[in-house]
Amino acid sequence: MEKHEIKKAGLKVTLPRVKILSLLEKHGGHLSAEDVYKLLLGEGEEIGLATVYRVLTQFQTAGLVVRHNFEGGQSVFELDHGDHHDHLVCLRCGRVEEFVDDTIENRQQAIADRHGFTIKDHALVIYGYCGDPNCQKDD
Amino acid sequence: MEKHEIKKAGLKVTLPRVKILSLLEKHGGHLSAEDVYKLLLGEGEEIGLATVYRVLTQFQTAGLVVRHNFEGGQSVFELDHGDHHDHLVCLRCGRVEEFVDDTIENRQQAIADRHGFTIKDHALVIYGYCGDPNCQKDD
DNA sequence: TTATAAATGAGAATATTTATCATTATCATA
DNA sequence: TATGATAATGATAAATATTCTCATTTATAA
């Protein structure tokens, strides 16, 4: 139940927050603030875009969602299930796939150590063309 | 000589282009469009911000510079010396360090293959606190 | 030198995100 | 359950980053 998670985050349980959280659960995917806004409109919810941004940022601070800055302007958000993962992004159709690779994770830590860095976060995004025939064909 | 590279890129050799290219060479670092604009102003060059963006984008298309989308709004640009590398970014002081790790590169290729992706580009950024004592101390 | 096509500068326009503020809703407590 | 302190919302303005427009200027091939 979403209400519990929102309460745990120290936030009041409001309609916009419940709706946005369940939307993210339903879609699983990687949604921009505007995606969320439009999906809410489609469901007949009159929730302002400013509220969407505000709530997503609060969820991010609370650790409920993660924010990614892929190429192309808009940030995208997804539920944080605690399992860190990296991304493959198709430049043609926008499809996003996830992956985890322990070898890469370990190498990153070793590199940070060598440079005297304390890792707070990291982002690995592979951009390319996905397996779909429409995305593989040349320009 | 910068003029040659500009000409090779199929662009006319103009003062803004020569200045911007030599600025990137001089600084080596990772400059935002606004950084470039202000540095030019500091040198007494009256080059518009729009021109800076335009030229940087053209250089990117021509393969002369690479553009990175680190966290925090602005894109940063650096000369493309042909040697791909990834980045460590300090969240406190903004320092940027570069690294290459063949193991990570190979794993990425393997992952893309497994997912049926054709890699066009990739970005690995490790965010954290660098070795500087001021950056390591707690909040 | 000159004609042509491209580049520039200034400011408008766009896109994304954040801030402001008056109004409304939540929720602990009475 | 009613209530009041506090937080959240929606509408809009503002801030930020980047791109577009267009009249003027400049580079360069002939």
Side-chain angles (χ1 to χ4, degrees), chain B residues 69-83:
Chain B
N69 300 288
F70 296 157
E71 280 180 12
Q74 289 170 303
S75 299
V76 298
F77 300 81
E78 66 174 328
L79 278 186
D80 186 354
H81 292 107
D83 61 328

PDB file of all heavy atoms in Angstrom, chain B residues 69-83:
ATOM      1  N   ASN B  69      26.721  15.505 -20.274  1.00  0.00           N
ATOM      2  CA  ASN B  69      25.581  15.998 -19.498  1.00  0.00           C
ATOM      3  C   ASN B  69      25.724  15.539 -18.051  1.00  0.00           C
ATOM      4  O   ASN B  69      25.067  14.598 -17.625  1.00  0.00           O
ATOM      5  CB  ASN B  69      24.282  15.468 -20.084  1.00  0.00           C
ATOM      6  CG  ASN B  69      24.092  15.900 -21.520  1.00  0.00           C
ATOM      7  OD1 ASN B  69      23.826  17.068 -21.792  1.00  0.00           O
ATOM      8  ND2 ASN B  69      24.259  14.969 -22.439  1.00  0.00           N
ATOM      9  N   PHE B  70      26.582  16.205 -17.325  1.00  0.00           N
ATOM     10  CA  PHE B  70      26.712  15.860 -15.911  1.00  0.00           C
ATOM     11  C   PHE B  70      25.480  16.357 -15.175  1.00  0.00           C
ATOM     12  O   PHE B  70      24.708  17.158 -15.704  1.00  0.00           O
ATOM     13  CB  PHE B  70      27.967  16.505 -15.315  1.00  0.00           C
ATOM     14  CG  PHE B  70      29.252  16.010 -15.920  1.00  0.00           C
ATOM     15  CD1 PHE B  70      30.393  16.778 -15.860  1.00  0.00           C
ATOM     16  CD2 PHE B  70      29.324  14.767 -16.541  1.00  0.00           C
ATOM     17  CE1 PHE B  70      31.589  16.327 -16.415  1.00  0.00           C
ATOM     18  CE2 PHE B  70      30.508  14.304 -17.104  1.00  0.00           C
ATOM     19  CZ  PHE B  70      31.646  15.094 -17.035  1.00  0.00           C
ATOM     20  N   GLU B  71      25.328  15.919 -13.936  1.00  0.00           N
ATOM     21  CA  GLU B  71      24.238  16.449 -13.112  1.00  0.00           C
ATOM     22  C   GLU B  71      24.405  17.956 -12.964  1.00  0.00           C
ATOM     23  O   GLU B  71      25.514  18.460 -12.970  1.00  0.00           O
ATOM     24  CB  GLU B  71      24.299  15.832 -11.705  1.00  0.00           C
ATOM     25  CG  GLU B  71      23.718  14.438 -11.623  1.00  0.00           C
ATOM     26  CD  GLU B  71      23.798  13.879 -10.199  1.00  0.00           C
ATOM     27  OE1 GLU B  71      24.096  14.648  -9.271  1.00  0.00           O
ATOM     28  OE2 GLU B  71      23.571  12.660 -10.052  1.00  0.00           O
ATOM     29  N   GLY B  72      23.311  18.667 -12.823  1.00  0.00           N
ATOM     30  CA  GLY B  72      23.418  20.080 -12.506  1.00  0.00           C
ATOM     31  C   GLY B  72      23.171  21.021 -13.661  1.00  0.00           C
ATOM     32  O   GLY B  72      23.780  22.072 -13.746  1.00  0.00           O
ATOM     33  N   GLY B  73      22.292  20.614 -14.562  1.00  0.00           N
ATOM     34  CA  GLY B  73      21.852  21.586 -15.551  1.00  0.00           C
ATOM     35  C   GLY B  73      22.701  21.720 -16.789  1.00  0.00           C
ATOM     36  O   GLY B  73      22.352  21.208 -17.842  1.00  0.00           O
ATOM     37  N   GLN B  74      23.807  22.429 -16.669  1.00  0.00           N
ATOM     38  CA  GLN B  74      24.567  22.759 -17.870  1.00  0.00           C
ATOM     39  C   GLN B  74      25.361  21.592 -18.452  1.00  0.00           C
ATOM     40  O   GLN B  74      25.934  20.794 -17.722  1.00  0.00           O
ATOM     41  CB  GLN B  74      25.542  23.889 -17.557  1.00  0.00           C
ATOM     42  CG  GLN B  74      24.870  25.232 -17.340  1.00  0.00           C
ATOM     43  CD  GLN B  74      25.851  26.248 -16.806  1.00  0.00           C
ATOM     44  OE1 GLN B  74      26.457  26.034 -15.768  1.00  0.00           O
ATOM     45  NE2 GLN B  74      26.013  27.333 -17.518  1.00  0.00           N
ATOM     46  N   SER B  75      25.413  21.550 -19.765  1.00  0.00           N
ATOM     47  CA  SER B  75      26.291  20.616 -20.448  1.00  0.00           C
ATOM     48  C   SER B  75      27.712  21.174 -20.393  1.00  0.00           C
ATOM     49  O   SER B  75      27.907  22.379 -20.328  1.00  0.00           O
ATOM     50  CB  SER B  75      25.886  20.475 -21.913  1.00  0.00           C
ATOM     51  OG  SER B  75      24.589  19.980 -22.028  1.00  0.00           O
ATOM     52  N   VAL B  76      28.681  20.284 -20.436  1.00  0.00           N
ATOM     53  CA  VAL B  76      30.066  20.744 -20.511  1.00  0.00           C
ATOM     54  C   VAL B  76      30.723  20.139 -21.748  1.00  0.00           C
ATOM     55  O   VAL B  76      30.333  19.076 -22.208  1.00  0.00           O
ATOM     56  CB  VAL B  76      30.879  20.375 -19.251  1.00  0.00           C
ATOM     57  CG1 VAL B  76      30.284  21.050 -18.035  1.00  0.00           C
ATOM     58  CG2 VAL B  76      30.944  18.876 -19.054  1.00  0.00           C
ATOM     59  N   PHE B  77      31.697  20.875 -22.255  1.00  0.00           N
ATOM     60  CA  PHE B  77      32.345  20.485 -23.498  1.00  0.00           C
ATOM     61  C   PHE B  77      33.852  20.349 -23.272  1.00  0.00           C
ATOM     62  O   PHE B  77      34.432  21.073 -22.463  1.00  0.00           O
ATOM     63  CB  PHE B  77      32.103  21.552 -24.568  1.00  0.00           C
ATOM     64  CG  PHE B  77      30.647  21.787 -24.875  1.00  0.00           C
ATOM     65  CD1 PHE B  77      29.875  22.610 -24.054  1.00  0.00           C
ATOM     66  CD2 PHE B  77      30.042  21.194 -25.966  1.00  0.00           C
ATOM     67  CE1 PHE B  77      28.534  22.832 -24.334  1.00  0.00           C
ATOM     68  CE2 PHE B  77      28.704  21.408 -26.256  1.00  0.00           C
ATOM     69  CZ  PHE B  77      27.945  22.230 -25.437  1.00  0.00           C
ATOM     70  N   GLU B  78      34.444  19.419 -24.009  1.00  0.00           N
ATOM     71  CA  GLU B  78      35.901  19.298 -23.975  1.00  0.00           C
ATOM     72  C   GLU B  78      36.374  18.842 -25.347  1.00  0.00           C
ATOM     73  O   GLU B  78      35.629  18.243 -26.113  1.00  0.00           O
ATOM     74  CB  GLU B  78      36.350  18.304 -22.900  1.00  0.00           C
ATOM     75  CG  GLU B  78      35.926  16.884 -23.183  1.00  0.00           C
ATOM     76  CD  GLU B  78      36.503  15.878 -22.188  1.00  0.00           C
ATOM     77  OE1 GLU B  78      37.614  16.098 -21.693  1.00  0.00           O
ATOM     78  OE2 GLU B  78      35.829  14.861 -21.928  1.00  0.00           O
ATOM     79  N   LEU B  79      37.615  19.139 -25.654  1.00  0.00           N
ATOM     80  CA  LEU B  79      38.178  18.722 -26.932  1.00  0.00           C
ATOM     81  C   LEU B  79      38.156  17.208 -27.027  1.00  0.00           C
ATOM     82  O   LEU B  79      38.394  16.516 -26.040  1.00  0.00           O
ATOM     83  CB  LEU B  79      39.615  19.210 -27.059  1.00  0.00           C
ATOM     84  CG  LEU B  79      39.816  20.650 -27.499  1.00  0.00           C
ATOM     85  CD1 LEU B  79      41.292  20.899 -27.719  1.00  0.00           C
ATOM     86  CD2 LEU B  79      39.036  20.950 -28.776  1.00  0.00           C
ATOM     87  N   ASP B  80      37.875  16.725 -28.214  1.00  0.00           N
ATOM     88  CA  ASP B  80      37.891  15.281 -28.445  1.00  0.00           C
ATOM     89  C   ASP B  80      39.258  14.894 -28.997  1.00  0.00           C
ATOM     90  O   ASP B  80      39.591  15.196 -30.138  1.00  0.00           O
ATOM     91  CB  ASP B  80      36.799  14.908 -29.452  1.00  0.00           C
ATOM     92  CG  ASP B  80      36.687  13.389 -29.605  1.00  0.00           C
ATOM     93  OD1 ASP B  80      37.525  12.679 -29.022  1.00  0.00           O
ATOM     94  OD2 ASP B  80      35.765  12.940 -30.297  1.00  0.00           O
ATOM     95  N   HIS B  81      40.056  14.270 -28.149  1.00  0.00           N
ATOM     96  CA  HIS B  81      41.377  13.836 -28.605  1.00  0.00           C
ATOM     97  C   HIS B  81      41.338  12.401 -29.120  1.00  0.00           C
ATOM     98  O   HIS B  81      42.362  11.772 -29.318  1.00  0.00           O
ATOM     99  CB  HIS B  81      42.399  13.950 -27.475  1.00  0.00           C
ATOM    100  CG  HIS B  81      42.691  15.354 -27.089  1.00  0.00           C
ATOM    101  ND1 HIS B  81      42.245  15.911 -25.913  1.00  0.00           N
ATOM    102  CD2 HIS B  81      43.364  16.341 -27.734  1.00  0.00           C
ATOM    103  CE1 HIS B  81      42.638  17.167 -25.862  1.00  0.00           C
ATOM    104  NE2 HIS B  81      43.317  17.467 -26.936  1.00  0.00           N
ATOM    105  N   GLY B  82      40.114  11.925 -29.303  1.00  0.00           N
ATOM    106  CA  GLY B  82      39.984  10.581 -29.848  1.00  0.00           C
ATOM    107  C   GLY B  82      40.079   9.496 -28.791  1.00  0.00           C
ATOM    108  O   GLY B  82      39.703   8.356 -29.028  1.00  0.00           O
ATOM    109  N   ASP B  83      40.572   9.866 -27.623  1.00  0.00           N
ATOM    110  CA  ASP B  83      40.701   8.877 -26.563  1.00  0.00           C
ATOM    111  C   ASP B  83      39.467   8.932 -25.670  1.00  0.00           C
ATOM    112  O   ASP B  83      39.330   9.797 -24.817  1.00  0.00           O
ATOM    113  CB  ASP B  83      41.950   9.156 -25.734  1.00  0.00           C
ATOM    114  CG  ASP B  83      41.874  10.520 -25.075  1.00  0.00           C
ATOM    115  OD1 ASP B  83      41.253  11.439 -25.666  1.00  0.00           O
ATOM    116  OD2 ASP B  83      42.409  10.670 -23.962  1.00  0.00           O
TER     117      ASP B  83
END
